[in-house]
Amino acid sequence: MANGRVVQTADRTIGSRQLAALLPAEVLARPGYRSLADALRTLILDGRIALHVRLPAERELAEAVGASRATVTGAYDLLRESGYVRSRRGSGTWTELPDGHRPVGAHALVGADGHGADGEPGIDLAIAAMGAPEGLLADAVARAAPRLPEAARTPGYHPFGLPDLREAVAERFTRRGLPTRPEQILVTSGAQQAFSLVVSLLCRPGDRVVTENPTYANALDALRHARLRTGSIAVSDAGWDMEIAESTLRQTVPRLAYVIPDFHNPTGALMPEEQRLRLLAATRRTGTWLVVDETIADIALDVPAPAPLASLAPRGGADHVVTIGSLSKTHWGGLRVGWVRATAKMITELTAVRVSADMTGSVLDQLVALPLLAGMERSLPARLAELRSRRAALVDSLQRHTPEWSWQVPPGGLSLWVDLGEPVSSALAERAAAAGVHIGRGARFGVDPGTFEHRLRIPYTLPADRLDEGVRRLAAAFHDGVPLPPSVNRPYWVA
């Protein structure tokens, strides 16, 4: 058992060695009962140990982690007191959650409709997405309406997607420099479904995969739930270290590599063309499927929108590249339309996997997506101008309220990756939640538990006044004194 996998075995039991392999190195080096309890609690909250799983007996775990039985007994006692495990005589100790907590894997959305402890309206900074453009969605619905009666006379099952929409997505890839045929497109219910389908088709439990670190939190959830062994390629404020990336690919020979080269989520970095070429060549050499997430590729604020990564490959050299995208970030997350671009053979295989899950996508959503996609070049500039304004407003608020924090302004994307200067991200997220602000703590984006505790992802997708109020509350929570202990960390769903 390696880091990055969710433990959920057939008999709902986790072995002592499996559990020890999930624990951070610092806990294994000096296992104290409080640090062990905190580490186990984090694994449960992050969904890396499933709920209702039996933990190892105290003596077995003590041997596996090199601690005394009293240490493990003390850790289990703390977890029982805080509601993270329950014990029954003769049946062992089982994982659970206390009232009011949800695991990250449950995708518990705590949105802007919530309130803080003081009754103030909530501010959702966990979702990096905007509302639908003014009037654009209504116009698209009106344009789709005349086509609905004809569509309604059919059974409504289009497992590959509506032919017109597949053709429109293929044409857009071609205009962006990647010649694409409609049979190379599968329409999905958003990019997350697209990624999950690709993982389900290409990977089996125990396979090695590589992602950037940090990376999109919900993609990490999908990999963990698929029980894959996850390696990582670091992405810092300076971008990708391609030498390390090539070395990681060469040494691990992963089945799949997942990357966000265009305004990377959460850092906002843009991968240079030379590094894209090296990544293409390295994954081809190792026989690794390269899954490119283009969900944010069109959110180019200070530079031209990049061409698809696969377009840089020599003729016939991109068959191992799978590209996914959606309309969620450019238009509206409530419109569940995404796509996969791959070889025609893979699209057929993906569709067979998709049919076993949900048969087909919403015809109505796809009819609405057609005019939105057709008019994207006309509507997108206003969207980008609004995001530039909101990005400037967020930067101004941070400079006024939290001058001790640091960040880099990305050339595109939807958020800032803010350095707090100290590892208090989870505690700050908890304090902020009490004030009605929901935020993506840094650890949600890390491949390994406990990493990026000095970071917050702060989107600039809300109106300027809401952003300023959100930052003001964050600053108040940050300056409110000693950080909360890890025992009360509460995760929130992020997008």
Side-chain angles (χ1 to χ4, degrees):
M1 186 67 170
N3 284 351
R5 292 177 56 189
V6 174
V7 177
Q8 189 169 356
T9 55
D11 60 356
R12 310 291 291 176
T13 299
I14 177 173
S16 58
R17 291 184 179 178
Q18 288 178 304
L19 182 51
L22 291 171
L23 294 171
E26 59 269 23
V27 173
L28 296 175
R30 299 183 63 182
Y33 76 98
R34 290 189 181 277
S35 63
L36 180 58
D38 286 342
L40 292 173
R41 184 184 299 111
T42 298
L43 291 173
I44 295 168
L45 282 173
D46 281 350
R48 292 160 65 80
I49 300 177
L51 297 181
H52 314 303
V53 166
R54 186 169 59 191
L55 295 175
E58 294 170 1
R59 186 184 302 279
E60 293 176 0
L61 184 58
E63 292 177 356
V65 302
S68 68
R69 182 174 179 178
T71 295
V72 177
T73 300
Y76 279 11
D77 285 344
L78 281 180
L79 292 172
R80 274 189 289 269
E81 291 170 7
S82 55
Y84 287 90
V85 302
R86 57 180 170 80
S87 298
R88 291 200 305 268
R89 185 178 297 276
S91 64
T93 300
W94 299 74
T95 59
E96 64 178 16
L97 287 177
D99 292 340
H101 284 61
R102 299 183 182 96
V104 168
H107 291 173
L109 176 59
V110 182
D113 292 334
H115 289 74
D118 57 0
E120 288 294 314
I123 298 174
D124 197 335
L125 292 175
I127 306 298
M130 299 175 72
E134 187 74 26
L136 193 65
L137 188 61
D139 180 67
V141 171
R143 289 174 179 269
R147 298 192 56 178
L148 191 56
E150 179 184 354
R153 287 192 287 270
T154 73
Y157 291 96
H158 299 275
F160 289 90
L162 287 181
D164 287 358
L165 185 55
R166 296 179 74 197
E167 183 175 348
V169 174
E171 287 179 354
R172 191 158 196 279
F173 271 112
T174 300
R175 289 197 306 272
R176 294 175 59 220
L178 181 60
T180 303
R181 304 185 306 277
E183 56 266 32
Q184 291 180 268
I185 299 296
L186 168 65
V187 178
T188 62
S189 298
Q192 184 68 16
Q193 186 193 52
F195 181 63
S196 296
L197 289 173
V198 170
V199 169
S200 179
L201 175 67
L202 297 180
C203 300
R204 295 294 177 265
D207 281 351
R208 292 183 181 275
V209 298
V210 166
T211 75
E212 296 146 328
N213 191 29
T215 191
Y216 180 50
N218 294 325
L220 284 174
D221 285 343
L223 296 175
R224 289 164 181 159
H225 291 170
R227 294 182 291 162
L228 302 175
R229 294 185 292 169
T230 308
S232 62
I233 299 169
V235 182
S236 67
D237 287 337
W240 291 257
D241 188 325
M242 199 51 59
E243 289 188 6
I244 292 180
E246 289 169 330
S247 175
T248 299
L249 290 165
R250 184 171 59 252
Q251 293 175 16
T252 62
V253 191
R255 176 70 174 164
L256 178 150
Y258 169 75
V259 297
I260 312 172
D262 308 310
F263 316 120
H264 173 263
N265 185 2
T267 69
L270 178 63
M271 184 181 287
E273 181 174 318
E274 180 267 338
Q275 292 189 354
R276 294 170 185 245
L277 290 169
R278 291 174 66 177
L279 182 61
L280 279 167
T283 50
R284 190 164 183 82
R285 281 195 302 269
T286 57
T288 299
W289 291 101
L290 179 58
V291 181
V292 180
D293 188 338
E294 283 197 340
T295 309
I296 315 178
D298 289 302
I299 311 298
L301 302 181
D302 301 330
V303 295
L309 188 148
S311 68
L312 299 176
R315 185 175 181 84
D319 286 353
H320 70 299
V321 181
V322 179
T323 305
I324 62 178
S326 79
L327 293 178
S328 295
K329 305 301 186 183
T330 54
H331 290 79
W332 187 43
L335 190 68
R336 302 311 300 155
V337 174
W339 50 80
V340 183
R341 192 266 183 200
T343 64
K345 178 177 181 296
M346 176 174 283
I347 292 300
T348 299
E349 294 171 347
L350 282 170
T351 303
V353 175
R354 188 259 181 85
V355 166
S356 70
D358 74 346
M359 295 295 292
T360 187
S362 163
V363 172
L364 181 57
D365 280 20
Q366 292 178 67
L367 288 175
V368 172
L370 274 167
L372 292 177
L373 199 62
M376 194 164 173
E377 273 64 36
R378 296 188 301 275
S379 62
L380 190 58
R383 190 78 154 170
L384 299 183
E386 186 174 12
L387 279 168
R388 290 187 196 98
S389 174
R390 294 183 178 188
R391 182 184 61 181
L394 176 59
V395 168
D396 177 69
S397 294
L398 289 170
Q399 288 173 338
R400 285 186 288 107
H401 296 298
T402 56
E404 63 270 55
W405 295 356
S406 62
W407 59 88
Q408 289 193 358
V409 178
L414 297 162
S415 57
L416 300 182
W417 187 231
V418 175
D419 189 337
L420 305 176
E422 51 185 311
V424 296
S425 174
S426 293
L428 176 57
E430 182 71 17
R431 283 192 184 278
V437 177
H438 306 294
I439 189 78
R441 61 190 179 96
R444 277 294 281 126
F445 303 89
V447 172
D448 298 308
T451 56
F452 302 108
E453 270 296 320
H454 62 300
R455 293 279 190 172
L456 283 181
R457 189 194 69 170
I458 308 182
Y460 38 82
T461 49
L462 294 178
D465 60 334
R466 300 297 286 162
L467 287 173
D468 189 63
E469 176 62 16
V471 171
R472 186 192 67 77
R473 295 190 199 181
L474 282 174
F478 181 76
H479 297 127
D480 196 27
V482 179
L484 293 174
S487 59
V488 296
N489 291 343
R490 184 178 302 165
Y492 293 101
W493 185 83
V494 297

